[in-house]
Amino acid sequence: MVSHSEPPKEDLAAVALEHKIDEANAIINGTTDTSKVHELDASKLVVTLADPNARQVPDEAAANAGLETICTDHMVTASWNHQSGWGVPELKPYGPISLMPTASVLHYATECFEGLKVFRGFDGKLRLFRPNLNAKRLLMSTLRISLPGFDPVEVEKLVAKLVAVDGAKWLPKTRPGSFLYIRPAVIGTQPQLGVQAPKEALLFITASFMPRMDSPAGGMRLHTNPEDMVRAWVGGFGYAKVGANYGPSLLATNEAKARGFHQILWLYGQEAYCTEAGASNFFIVWRTKEGKLQLITAPLDDKLILDGVTRRSVLELAKTRLAEEVEVVERRYTIDEVIEADKEGRIVEAFAAGTAFFIAPVSQIHHRGTDVHIPLGENDSGAYTAKIKSWMKDIMYGNEQHEWGLVINEEDEAAAGQKRKREQDDEAKRE
Amino acid sequence: MVSHSEPPKEDLAAVALEHKIDEANAIINGTTDTSKVHELDASKLVVTLADPNARQVPDEAAANAGLETICTDHMVTASWNHQSGWGVPELKPYGPISLMPTASVLHYATECFEGLKVFRGFDGKLRLFRPNLNAKRLLMSTLRISLPGFDPVEVEKLVAKLVAVDGAKWLPKTRPGSFLYIRPAVIGTQPQLGVQAPKEALLFITASFMPRMDSPAGGMRLHTNPEDMVRAWVGGFGYAKVGANYGPSLLATNEAKARGFHQILWLYGQEAYCTEAGASNFFIVWRTKEGKLQLITAPLDDKLILDGVTRRSVLELAKTRLAEEVEVVERRYTIDEVIEADKEGRIVEAFAAGTAFFIAPVSQIHHRGTDVHIPLGENDSGAYTAKIKSWMKDIMYGNEQHEWGLVINEEDEAAAGQKRKREQDDEAKRE
């Protein structure tokens, strides 16, 4: 269930979100009147398989070398309209989407997405990493951008179906230690100009190659954002994975890249609080003035930053497995605190954490003429960074059996797919 | 030429924008190396005409009754990629756009647009209203969202071609006093996931029906935004017509609509400065405490609001034609000033101004339990509002010959189109 506390009636946005959350909860609890509006239902999935021999699977380096993301054979789509609700989801050959030039998403950024990975374990099994968290966050982002709600469990099931169907070929057992990137997205498709909540929408899910970005040579170098460009603000939507957080950030990021940096360290407000690194969460390991070792990251409560699945996992692992060594702190902290800690030799490690970048060690922060150099340890990574990363990898690739690693039963899913296909064929014959 | 003042080197965003502006100026001045990268060139337009009998033109009421925008027979498209630059623009039958599911615009809101109108004058002529301003603003928005630059004059020419070709049928001389809405847009089309400036893009221009929204019965009712939701912020992108300004605003707008209001009056900051009304600029006519009559609107210099073409036209007309009666003021003013003026009986009129809503009288502002009721005059409009609106209408519909009304030479354009078509046909035969 999606939770909310009662906002004051004057709080228009909060009340609006509350209404959308109530609708979503009604879906999740099965208390909506489904006689009129269809809910998203993964069990109704219609499967149309691609010719399995039509496309070859490239090796990882070749797949990531071009300017186009290589997706697997299939994708999942489900369309929605405000009168009939969600249509039957389809698993079908990967291919283009057709939109009218007046489609909402192309003008008003009525769009949101998720990113998660599926891993081929060293034990031969296929695992999703905490997909329930991504599905819930997709619902939250969808509601924030005025797109239709759904039961997140259904999205999780659709993701599982897609990777079950394409996993054997595209993430074969001969490539343990590899992953594919899953991208669920919801877009507003109503072909009507005018600023309004779309009355038609499309959910789609792709699986694709994505480069490994967790070990930039010499560590990741961050440049703080300029004063005249902020990523998110209190009262905005920095916590939601909506397109509107990304496009506007590109201008400053490109300039930082032209100057030899990898990403922007986004600061907030007059105080210059550290928030996110690029599109990842940001962590520092430092010693306090009193000599206490701390893992620090920005808090969620001001809704400026994304509630990252990797962020959350890092915090939970550090709290349980490093409790005796490191204090875990979520609080606002400023770039001046970081610079001061650097001057006093108190910075131990830093890293960016997110699904795309996984856990990427940070070696430098440039802030208005001042450079903070963070020493990298062996193998270009601090020791705590390496330890946390290794724990997560073990869960992702099945070296450690852990509830966060959701094993996909490929055989059952494939068999069920074949069965459903036969039934559909039979039905087609009868008609 | 696009202008900029020299920003300090540490100003990453400003420097980035400066670089993009320099590129754009090189295009406009013809000093780019066009041997490698092609610039947008309207003179190369390739025309493929639709069957003129395939679609009937609906009457205005029917056209605006549905949930889909009715576009004219044709649209203009031009694609760009980072290696070859702009491709040959095409004028072709209106129809869907095909995008890969990984296209940048669907995930990262790499999108911006413009809105302008073409009018069928009472003198039988077709006029665009100050299209040069829209084309220049499209360039500014495009650069802000990291999409490719172009000479705005070429966009203006492409808009003119489209309305010249479709004007006779879709805005016939039998319907003087009517308009069509023109929507140029630029989107990032590169099919690659990952937060980056797109290396492929598409410009497209449509012409369509749009409802008349300038005379809501009883006047437009505004509800101020909740404290936890702001439209734009200093250091953001509120001044650019990018998708990211619109989608996130829908949640609060829908809640306001559910409560019987038309739009949000967006306030900014602790001081609660009045900025925009919905997606339009906002004007008040009031008397100062000293009894002086003022037309007041928010300023552009903090980059929170859109530099509206209607806004600019209202200010210019008021300054030249109402100079003896009304002082025109662009400054920050707060909702508390508005409430105080209301209590003291000093508010004379208020209106929203924008291309879509034209000039729409405002009758009410609700702010956290307090209501400001603004008396409407005869015909649901204040006298100054009506006067300014009438001047603009006269220019738009050719009752007054004015440099703001750009007359489209339909015959010449149509003849040139036919000639180009014959040449292309001849060329095709020779090949």
Side-chain angles (χ1 to χ4, degrees):
Chain A
M1 184 168 322
V2 191
S3 66
H4 61 76
S5 54
E6 196 80 8
K9 190 166 172 297
E10 282 299 317
D11 243 357
L12 216 61
V15 172
L17 200 54
E18 184 193 359
H19 288 171
K20 298 229 38 148
I21 289 170
D22 287 343
E23 286 169 28
N25 280 332
I27 295 168
I28 295 167
N29 300 329
T31 54
T32 41
D33 180 0
T34 51
S35 63
K36 277 182 292 186
V37 176
H38 296 288
E39 299 310 337
L40 184 64
D41 184 350
S43 74
K44 292 192 175 144
L45 188 73
V46 171
V47 176
T48 308
L49 293 178
D51 173 0
N53 302 316
R55 294 171 62 208
Q56 301 294 312
V57 179
D59 67 38
E60 199 177 305
N64 291 318
L67 295 177
E68 183 161 352
T69 294
I70 308 291
C71 289
T72 61
D73 285 348
H74 301 95
M75 64 182 186
V76 168
T77 64
S79 49
W80 173 92
N81 87 56
H82 74 123
Q83 284 180 318
S84 56
W86 286 99
V88 169
E90 292 181 76
L91 188 148
K92 60 186 183 187
Y94 177 77
I97 292 172
S98 177
L99 292 170
M100 293 312 283
T102 50
S104 175
V105 63
L106 303 180
H107 304 269
Y108 310 119
T110 46
E111 61 192 69
C112 60
F113 66 93
E114 268 304 320
L116 66 161
K117 286 175 177 168
V118 57
F119 304 89
R120 177 62 73 186
F122 290 102
D123 59 354
K125 288 183 178 161
L126 210 56
R127 279 179 185 80
L128 289 166
F129 187 77
R130 313 185 80 176
N132 56 325
L133 297 183
N134 294 96
K136 273 185 198 158
R137 193 173 60 186
L138 183 65
L139 172 61
M140 180 276 291
S141 300
T142 303
L143 301 181
R144 178 62 188 82
I145 204 72
S146 298
L147 287 165
F150 48 78
D151 184 343
V153 169
E154 301 303 311
V155 168
E156 204 185 326
K157 284 180 189 166
L158 292 172
V159 168
K161 303 268 182 194
L162 179 61
V163 300
V165 170
D166 279 345
K169 173 176 169 185
W170 288 84
L171 205 53
K173 292 190 180 179
T174 52
R175 293 186 189 179
S178 296
F179 65 84
L180 290 173
Y181 179 81
I182 317 295
R183 169 61 59 100
V186 188
I187 60 174
T189 54
Q190 188 190 1
Q192 190 167 43
L193 298 179
V195 183
Q196 59 179 345
K199 295 188 174 71
E200 296 173 25
L202 181 75
L203 161 74
F204 60 93
I205 310 173
T206 60
S208 69
F209 283 93
M210 172 169 276
R212 293 171 195 250
M213 298 184 285
D214 61 326
S215 303
M220 188 185 269
R221 292 183 298 282
L222 303 176
H223 192 301
T224 59
N225 63 296
E227 284 185 80
D228 64 345
M229 184 174 284
V230 297
R231 192 195 84 93
W233 62 103
V234 171
F237 41 87
Y239 63 101
K241 217 160 170 67
V242 295
N245 278 320
Y246 297 88
S249 76
L250 295 172
L251 195 61
T253 303
N254 278 2
E255 185 66 21
K257 284 183 179 171
R259 296 183 187 188
F261 294 85
H262 293 95
Q263 294 289 343
I264 299 279
L265 177 60
W266 296 101
L267 306 179
Y268 182 73
Q270 290 274 313
E271 303 84 354
Y273 293 116
C274 298
T275 65
E276 294 196 6
S280 305
N281 294 117
F282 181 60
F283 288 80
I284 295 181
V285 182
W286 65 13
R287 284 184 196 284
T288 63
K289 285 180 183 286
E290 298 74 34
K292 193 189 288 179
L293 206 57
Q294 279 185 344
L295 174 69
I296 189 164
T297 198
L300 299 177
D301 49 18
D302 49 16
K303 293 196 160 189
L304 283 173
I305 66 162
L306 195 75
D307 178 6
V309 177
T310 312
R311 175 188 183 279
R312 198 189 278 212
S313 304
V314 166
L315 291 172
E316 290 172 19
L317 286 175
K319 278 179 193 165
T320 52
R321 301 189 186 182
L322 294 173
E324 312 229 320
E325 300 168 59
V326 179
E327 186 187 20
V328 176
V329 180
E330 292 173 75
R331 72 158 168 89
R332 287 185 165 202
Y333 64 100
T334 66
I335 190 69
D336 286 342
E337 286 184 76
V338 175
I339 291 169
E340 188 188 15
D342 178 55
K343 280 188 185 147
E344 296 172 0
R346 293 188 282 106
I347 296 189
V348 182
E349 300 173 20
F351 59 90
T355 297
F357 281 84
F358 189 26
I359 293 182
V362 169
S363 58
Q364 185 188 350
I365 302 168
H366 177 89
H367 177 66
R368 295 171 200 163
T370 301
D371 279 289
V372 172
H373 289 284
I374 303 158
L376 292 175
E378 281 177 48
N379 302 319
D380 270 3
S381 170
Y384 287 109
T385 307
K387 198 176 269 188
I388 293 170
K389 194 166 166 176
S390 145
W391 288 330
M392 289 187 63
K393 268 189 172 167
D394 282 348
I395 296 171
M396 290 164 169
Y397 292 109
N399 290 335
E400 179 187 343
Q401 300 303 317
H402 192 285
E403 59 174 358
W404 292 352
L406 180 74
V407 175
I408 303 298
N409 193 326
E410 294 171 90
E411 289 69 29
D412 284 5
E413 289 289 349
Q418 289 304 325
K419 181 165 171 285
R420 204 164 33 237
K421 179 85 172 62
R422 278 195 305 276
E423 286 169 1
Q424 285 162 11
D425 289 348
D426 290 350
E427 210 164 299
K429 275 178 209 155
R430 278 196 300 274
E431 274 167 10
Chain B
M1 183 166 325
V2 190
S3 66
H4 60 77
S5 53
E6 196 80 9
K9 192 168 171 296
E10 282 300 316
D11 242 0
L12 217 60
V15 172
L17 200 55
E18 183 193 358
H19 289 171
K20 300 234 20 154
I21 290 170
D22 287 342
E23 285 167 31
N25 280 332
I27 295 168
I28 295 167
N29 300 328
T31 54
T32 42
D33 179 2
T34 50
S35 61
K36 279 183 293 190
V37 176
H38 297 288
E39 300 310 337
L40 184 64
D41 184 351
S43 75
K44 293 192 175 144
L45 188 73
V46 171
V47 176
T48 308
L49 293 178
D51 172 0
N53 303 317
R55 294 171 62 208
Q56 300 294 311
V57 180
D59 67 40
E60 198 177 306
N64 291 318
L67 296 177
E68 183 161 352
T69 293
I70 308 292
C71 290
T72 60
D73 284 346
H74 300 95
M75 63 182 184
V76 168
T77 64
S79 49
W80 172 91
N81 88 54
H82 73 124
Q83 285 182 316
S84 55
W86 286 99
V88 168
E90 292 180 76
L91 188 150
K92 60 188 185 187
Y94 177 75
I97 291 172
S98 177
L99 291 170
M100 293 311 285
T102 50
S104 175
V105 64
L106 304 179
H107 304 269
Y108 309 119
T110 45
E111 59 192 70
C112 60
F113 66 92
E114 268 305 319
L116 65 162
K117 286 174 177 167
V118 58
F119 304 89
R120 177 61 72 186
F122 291 101
D123 58 356
K125 289 185 180 162
L126 209 57
R127 280 179 186 79
L128 289 167
F129 186 76
R130 309 186 83 177
N132 56 323
L133 297 182
N134 294 95
K136 273 186 198 158
R137 194 172 60 185
L138 183 64
L139 172 62
M140 182 275 292
S141 300
T142 303
L143 301 181
R144 179 62 187 82
I145 205 70
S146 299
L147 286 165
F150 48 79
D151 184 342
V153 169
E154 300 303 310
V155 168
E156 203 185 326
K157 285 180 190 166
L158 291 171
V159 167
K161 303 268 181 194
L162 179 61
V163 300
V165 169
D166 279 345
K169 173 176 169 185
W170 289 84
L171 204 54
K173 291 190 180 179
T174 52
R175 293 186 189 179
S178 298
F179 65 84
L180 291 173
Y181 179 82
I182 316 295
R183 169 61 59 100
V186 188
I187 60 174
T189 54
Q190 188 190 2
Q192 188 167 47
L193 298 178
V195 183
Q196 61 181 343
K199 294 188 175 68
E200 296 173 26
L202 181 75
L203 160 74
F204 60 92
I205 309 172
T206 60
S208 69
F209 283 92
M210 172 169 277
R212 294 171 194 250
M213 298 185 285
D214 61 325
S215 303
M220 189 186 269
R221 293 182 297 281
L222 303 177
H223 192 302
T224 59
N225 63 296
E227 283 185 81
D228 65 345
M229 185 173 283
V230 297
R231 191 195 84 94
W233 62 104
V234 171
F237 40 87
Y239 63 101
K241 218 162 170 64
V242 295
N245 278 323
Y246 298 88
S249 77
L250 295 172
L251 196 62
T253 304
N254 278 3
E255 186 66 22
K257 284 182 179 171
R259 295 182 187 189
F261 294 85
H262 294 94
Q263 294 289 342
I264 300 278
L265 177 60
W266 297 100
L267 306 179
Y268 183 74
Q270 291 275 313
E271 301 85 352
Y273 293 115
C274 299
T275 64
E276 293 197 5
S280 305
N281 293 115
F282 180 61
F283 288 79
I284 295 181
V285 181
W286 65 13
R287 283 184 196 283
T288 63
K289 284 180 183 285
E290 298 72 34
K292 193 189 288 179
L293 206 56
Q294 280 184 342
L295 173 70
I296 188 165
T297 198
L300 300 177
D301 49 18
D302 49 17
K303 292 195 159 190
L304 284 172
I305 66 161
L306 195 75
D307 178 6
V309 177
T310 311
R311 175 188 183 278
R312 198 190 278 213
S313 304
V314 166
L315 291 174
E316 290 173 18
L317 286 175
K319 278 177 195 169
T320 51
R321 301 189 187 183
L322 294 173
E324 312 229 322
E325 299 169 60
V326 179
E327 183 187 23
V328 176
V329 180
E330 291 172 76
R331 72 158 168 91
R332 288 185 163 200
Y333 64 100
T334 67
I335 189 69
D336 286 342
E337 286 183 76
V338 175
I339 291 170
E340 189 188 13
D342 177 54
K343 280 187 185 148
E344 296 173 1
R346 294 188 281 107
I347 297 190
V348 182
E349 301 173 19
F351 59 90
T355 297
F357 282 83
F358 189 27
I359 291 180
V362 168
S363 58
Q364 185 188 350
I365 303 169
H366 177 88
H367 177 64
R368 294 171 201 162
T370 301
D371 278 290
V372 172
H373 289 284
I374 303 158
L376 292 176
E378 279 177 50
N379 302 318
D380 270 2
S381 170
Y384 287 109
T385 307
K387 197 175 274 190
I388 293 170
K389 195 165 166 176
S390 142
W391 287 330
M392 288 186 65
K393 269 189 171 165
D394 282 347
I395 296 171
M396 290 164 170
Y397 292 109
N399 290 336
E400 180 188 342
Q401 300 304 315
H402 193 285
E403 57 175 359
W404 293 350
L406 180 74
V407 175
I408 303 296
N409 193 326
E410 294 171 89
E411 289 68 27
D412 283 4
E413 289 290 348
Q418 288 305 324
K419 182 164 170 285
R420 204 164 34 237
K421 180 86 171 63
R422 276 196 305 275
E423 285 167 0
Q424 284 160 13
D425 289 349
D426 290 349
E427 210 165 302
K429 276 180 208 154
R430 275 197 303 274
E431 275 167 12

